[in-house]
Amino acid sequence: MFLSVAFFSMWYIHSMVNPDTFNDLPKYREVFNSIGITQWGRISNHWAAVDMELGYLYMNKLVYKLTSSFSVFLWIYSFIMLILYFRTIDKYSPYLVLSVLLVLLIPYNQSLFVIRQHMAVAIYFASIPLILERKLFSFLLVAILAFFIHRSSIIFIPVYFLYFFNGRRLVYVLLSFIVLFVVFWGSITVLSASFFDYGWFAQQAEGRTNISTFIQVLMFFLLYVFALGKSVFNIGINKLIFCILFLSLFFNGISIGLNIGRMAIYYNVISILSIPISLKYIKSTVVRSVISVTIVLLLFVQMIYGSNSQYYEKMELISFF
C-alpha cells in the first residue's frame, strides 16, 4: 500500500512539471516536436543535429505517433523511470520507506530535467537481478538499450564482470580496474587532442562533483563496510553493492579534479539499497534510528542548499484542466 501511494504521488509531480520552469525541458520539448514530424527513415540522419541518442529519439517518435502532447511523453517517461526504481526496491530493500525517501533525496530532483541520463541510470538500477543471476545476454541487451538512451551509461558495464570475483581477489580486481581506467582516461585525453573526437565523452560529464558528494559517498561506503564486516563478500546483493559502492567512491574521488562527475551517477544511486541493508546489520534499534534520521536530514539539507536547488526551486506544476 505504501509503495503504491508513494509511487503515484511521485509520478504525478514528476510528470506534471511545467517544462518552462527548467533549463533543459524546453529543448527536450522542441526535440519531441521536431522528431514527431520527421520521417522514421530520416531520424538516423537527424540525431547529430540535436546531439541526442537514437534510442531516445525513437522513443520520442513512438510516443508522438500516439499523441503530440509533450506532457504525455513526460507521463510515460516518468512512469517507466519510477517503476524501474520501485520494483528493484521492493525486491531488495529491507526498509521500503527509507529507500523511497532516498529515491526522493538522491536521483529524483535532478531527474526532473536530466531526462536521458536518469532513464539510463534507472535501467541499470533495475538490471541488478540480471547481474546476480548471471544472465549475460539479457544484461548486454539492457546495456545496449541504456547506451542508446545515454552514451555515458557504458561506464557501468564492467560491474557485471567484476561481480564474478570473490573475497580478496575481488578487492585486487577492483584496484586493477581503477588503475586501468586511469590509464585509459589519460590515453584518450592525449589521443583526443591529436586524432579522435571524444567531445561527447566529456560533454555528457559536464560539471565537477564537489567534495561534499565525495564525503557523502565515503560515509555510505564506510557505514556499509563496518556494518556488514565480512558479509560484504557474501554472494548476492551484498557483494554486488560492495562493488558498486567501491566504484562510486572512486569516481566521486577523481571527479573532484577531473570533469567526469556525471559518470558517477550510475554508481551513486546504489545508496538507495546500501543504506537500508547497512542498517539491517546493526543490532541496536536506537543506533539504527539515529543513523537513518541523520542521513535523511543531511541529504535533505544537501537537496535544499545544493547545486541543483537553483533548478527546481522555481518548479511549477501544470494543471490537468
Side-chain angles (χ1 to χ4, degrees):
M1 181 64 180
F2 166 77
L3 285 181
S4 298
V5 173
F7 173 83
F8 283 106
S9 300
M10 292 168 65
W11 180 31
Y12 172 78
I13 295 174
H14 203 282
S15 60
M16 296 298 290
V17 294
N18 182 349
D20 294 318
T21 57
F22 285 100
N23 290 341
D24 291 5
L25 288 184
K27 179 181 179 181
Y28 280 117
R29 181 176 56 194
E30 180 181 344
V31 169
F32 174 77
N33 292 327
S34 175
I35 291 297
I37 60 176
T38 301
Q39 295 180 359
W40 285 99
R42 295 184 178 180
I43 293 178
S44 59
N45 298 323
H46 190 66
W47 72 271
V50 297
D51 191 29
M52 293 183 184
E53 291 77 4
L54 277 175
Y56 175 78
L57 296 182
Y58 281 123
M59 179 181 176
N60 276 257
K61 179 65 175 179
L62 188 62
V63 174
Y64 194 92
K65 294 290 289 184
L66 302 174
T67 174
S68 60
S69 171
F70 182 65
S71 294
V72 174
F73 173 80
L74 290 181
W75 296 348
I76 297 172
Y77 156 77
S78 300
F79 180 88
I80 295 173
M81 189 199 74
L82 288 173
I83 204 68
L84 292 174
Y85 277 115
F86 272 69
R87 289 187 64 182
T88 310
I89 287 171
D90 188 37
K91 187 176 182 68
Y92 296 108
S93 177
Y95 300 109
L96 298 179
V97 175
L98 179 58
S99 286
V100 170
L101 285 175
L102 292 171
V103 172
L104 278 170
L105 295 171
I106 298 176
Y108 186 81
N109 292 296
Q110 191 181 59
S111 70
L112 289 167
F113 57 96
V114 184
I115 289 180
R116 287 153 41 236
Q117 186 172 19
H118 274 277
M119 176 62 81
V121 170
I123 289 172
Y124 268 123
F125 188 79
S127 74
I128 287 176
L130 302 179
I131 301 175
L132 296 178
E133 297 168 14
R134 301 187 177 185
K135 295 182 177 180
L136 178 59
F137 181 73
S138 299
F139 178 81
L140 291 178
L141 289 179
V142 167
I144 293 171
L145 173 62
F147 180 80
F148 280 100
I149 297 296
H150 202 277
R151 288 164 287 184
S152 66
S153 64
I154 195 172
I155 196 66
F156 194 83
I157 293 178
V159 170
Y160 181 91
F161 302 96
L162 292 172
Y163 173 74
F164 286 108
F165 297 92
N166 297 313
R168 291 183 178 179
R169 290 184 62 194
L170 174 61
V171 176
Y172 295 150
V173 172
L174 285 170
L175 292 174
S176 299
F177 171 80
I178 287 173
V179 172
L180 290 173
F181 179 85
V182 171
V183 172
F184 169 75
W185 185 264
S187 299
I188 67 169
T189 301
V190 173
L191 290 172
S192 64
S194 304
F195 303 103
F196 304 107
D197 178 14
Y198 283 94
W200 68 269
F201 203 78
Q203 288 171 6
Q204 304 304 339
E206 288 181 353
R208 299 189 178 193
T209 302
N210 56 41
I211 195 170
S212 64
T213 303
F214 170 73
I215 295 174
Q216 169 189 303
V217 173
L218 175 61
M219 178 179 67
F220 297 158
F221 178 79
L222 293 176
L223 171 64
Y224 190 76
V225 171
F226 283 110
L228 273 69
K230 293 182 179 180
S231 295
V232 298
F233 297 119
N234 288 354
I235 295 175
I237 190 67
N238 286 9
K239 186 176 69 170
L240 179 59
I241 289 178
F242 174 75
C243 292
I244 300 174
L245 274 179
F246 191 97
L247 295 176
S248 175
L249 184 64
F250 165 69
F251 282 113
N252 279 285
I254 64 173
S255 67
I256 297 174
L258 297 175
N259 190 30
I260 60 171
R262 289 275 294 275
M263 307 286 277
I265 297 175
Y266 295 94
Y267 297 99
N268 294 347
V269 295
I270 200 62
S271 300
I272 295 169
L273 296 178
S274 74
I275 294 172
I277 290 177
S278 298
L279 296 177
K280 185 183 72 171
Y281 279 82
I282 297 176
K283 296 180 179 180
S284 173
T285 304
V286 175
V287 174
R288 282 203 306 268
S289 300
V290 170
I291 292 176
S292 60
V293 170
T294 301
I295 289 174
V296 169
L297 287 177
L298 288 174
L299 289 174
F300 179 75
V301 170
Q302 184 186 48
M303 182 188 72
I304 297 298
Y305 298 104
S307 59
N308 288 328
S309 61
Q310 60 179 310
Y311 298 109
Y312 56 79
E313 63 184 4
K314 297 180 180 180
M315 180 185 73
E316 296 178 358
L317 299 180
I318 60 177
S319 173
F320 275 120
F321 309 101

